[in-house]
Amino acid sequence: MAFFDDSELSDLKIERMIFHLVGPKNGLIKLAEVDPGEFESFFVDRIRSVNGGLPYAFSDASSTRERLGRIASNAGVFQEESEKLAEDFQAYHGGTAAEGAVLLFVLKAKATRSFALLKYDDETVIAYDLTDDGSGRKKVSLEALQKTFVQNKAALQKAALIKLTEKGGELTVLDRRNQQKVAQYFEAFLGARQTLSDAELTKKLVDVTRKVIGDNPDLVDGEVVRELTKRTYDAASGGGEIDSDDHRSFLETVIGHKLADDSVLLSKFNRSLTTERISGVPMTLAPDQVKGPKTLYFKTENGIEIRVPNEFRALIEKTEDGMIIIHDKLAIETDDPN
């Protein structure tokens, strides 16, 4: 799910920022809050890069939800609660944790406040030139962190974007090691559960595709419209994984060719994905809830309607001059008052 819409992305600002070093070699190293200053745009761009992901919701017992709630209601506990979040992360990841950093951001877009939790994997973070800040915590130059991000662009591995609500919160979670299935330890750390199964996501994707093509038959070949149910069912049944930025591949499979970036059909498709709140959601295609074609429907120029069960579609022949021939023996003939 795309967490921020386009207007929020353009207005995104960092209100507060902190990160702590984690990993099995040196344990947890607590750092002091930092002012992003001249590096704000750089870190905002990193957050924008993880705007797509799986939709999640907090469980009632989520300690992460509680800690973020305290920060939201009392700015004075930001440092303390961020350290507790880092302690929780270190405990959940255990001895298998990759060396790196856990970053916490308080964000604002328009009038809405939100949070970003990022896990950054990179051995070089333990080589930062740390200095004491006078309170028993360490400080590090943001320039060093920026350089490491730039040198290892694949190191930003896990991200959660969060908006708190009275009943819990909305989360978009991305695991770049496996976009379709977030690591269990990260789910446990967040205290959150995925809100839509792959089968539910696949059905939404199929429904969007069918509606967009059905509403715009002039934008595709006639054969695509005629076989729309079958084509979408076959595409879903083929399985495979769709990453957060690759939903167009499903549409292109259905219509049978690549689409230009400025395609009208693609634009309508993307808007519909946003409306259905599955834009940017990675998934593994699972057709469990997708209905395949049951009946082949014909209507002639004279208004004669014919419905043929899908399993007998091979008995129908369409000639070059637009006629249809049914290769079957007549069993019953009667006049019908209806």
Side-chain angles (χ1 to χ4, degrees):
M1 178 177 70
F3 188 79
F4 297 110
D5 63 28
D6 291 342
S7 63
E8 289 174 322
L9 280 175
S10 64
D11 193 55
L12 193 61
K13 295 179 176 60
I14 297 174
E15 290 195 333
R16 302 186 76 172
M17 171 184 176
I18 195 168
F19 67 99
H20 304 289
L21 306 185
V22 294
K25 293 182 181 179
N26 294 276
L28 173 63
I29 299 176
K30 300 175 182 179
L31 303 181
E33 181 180 357
V34 291
D35 180 355
E38 63 182 291
F39 297 99
E40 181 176 8
S41 61
F42 173 83
F43 288 107
V44 165
D45 284 344
R46 303 286 78 71
I47 294 167
R48 287 174 177 149
S49 75
V50 293
N51 190 46
L54 291 166
Y56 272 71
F58 284 119
S59 66
D60 293 339
S62 172
S63 59
T64 295
R65 167 66 179 85
E66 290 183 10
R67 300 197 192 290
L68 295 178
R70 293 188 193 113
I71 292 173
S73 59
N74 181 3
V77 301
F78 178 73
Q79 177 76 44
E80 176 186 356
E81 292 297 335
S82 75
E83 292 174 359
K84 291 179 179 177
L85 283 168
E87 290 171 358
D88 292 343
F89 183 91
Q90 179 87 352
Y92 277 110
H93 204 347
T96 62
E99 302 294 335
V102 176
L103 295 85
L104 171 64
F105 298 87
V106 180
L107 307 170
K108 192 169 185 181
K110 304 297 183 182
T112 303
R113 183 168 282 106
S114 57
F115 296 90
L117 276 165
L118 311 181
K119 171 62 194 324
Y120 177 71
D121 291 353
D122 195 279
E123 290 282 343
T124 61
V125 296
I126 62 173
Y128 288 157
D129 184 17
L130 303 176
T131 60
D132 291 320
D133 74 339
S135 66
R137 298 182 179 91
K138 302 291 185 179
K139 293 186 69 174
V140 67
S141 163
L142 284 184
E143 183 177 5
L145 184 62
Q146 182 200 33
K147 286 180 179 178
T148 311
F149 263 106
V150 171
Q151 291 169 358
N152 188 357
K153 295 181 179 179
L156 181 50
Q157 286 296 322
K158 293 173 177 60
L161 303 179
I162 303 161
K163 292 176 185 174
L164 299 182
T165 64
E166 290 184 4
K167 294 183 178 181
E170 297 178 6
L171 300 86
T172 292
V173 183
L174 180 66
D175 187 337
R176 281 185 166 161
R177 290 187 183 276
N178 186 347
Q179 290 195 16
Q180 291 72 27
K181 187 171 179 58
V182 175
Q184 289 184 349
Y185 85 85
F186 197 57
E187 290 181 329
F189 161 66
L190 294 171
R193 64 188 182 282
Q194 193 173 334
T195 58
L196 292 172
S197 67
D198 281 321
E200 291 169 324
L201 290 170
T202 301
K203 184 178 184 302
K204 280 179 172 284
L205 178 62
V206 168
D207 289 347
V208 164
T209 305
R210 287 175 176 174
K211 187 174 190 312
V212 168
I213 293 177
D215 290 347
N216 300 276
D218 55 314
L219 298 179
V220 297
D221 294 336
E223 185 179 0
V224 174
V225 177
R226 291 193 297 271
E227 298 181 348
L228 183 56
T229 301
K230 182 178 184 299
R231 282 173 174 253
T232 48
Y233 180 78
D234 289 348
S237 299
E241 296 179 340
I242 293 180
D243 288 342
S244 61
D245 58 353
D246 194 33
H247 293 76
R248 67 186 292 172
S249 64
F250 185 83
L251 177 63
E252 291 171 340
T253 297
V254 171
I255 65 174
H257 62 82
K258 296 287 186 182
L259 288 167
D261 291 341
D262 61 353
S263 160
V264 175
L265 183 67
L266 181 60
S267 176
K268 291 176 179 290
F269 176 72
N270 288 334
R271 284 201 298 272
S272 295
L273 292 176
T274 300
T275 300
E276 291 300 317
R277 297 177 64 80
I278 58 170
S279 175
V281 178
M283 66 187 77
T284 298
L285 293 174
D288 308 41
Q289 298 183 19
V290 177
K291 292 182 179 180
K294 291 184 177 180
T295 303
L296 198 58
Y297 171 77
F298 299 93
K299 186 174 182 179
T300 71
E301 290 182 352
N302 291 314
I304 299 173
E305 296 181 88
I306 304 169
R307 286 179 170 82
V308 179
N310 188 60
E311 59 266 33
F312 299 123
R313 65 189 302 141
L315 300 177
I316 305 300
E317 177 187 351
K318 291 177 285 186
T319 65
E320 291 183 0
D321 58 355
M323 307 293 285
I324 64 169
I325 301 172
I326 302 175
H327 293 277
D328 200 7
K329 290 183 178 180
L330 187 65
I332 296 175
E333 180 180 355
T334 182
D335 56 351
D336 187 346
N338 297 318

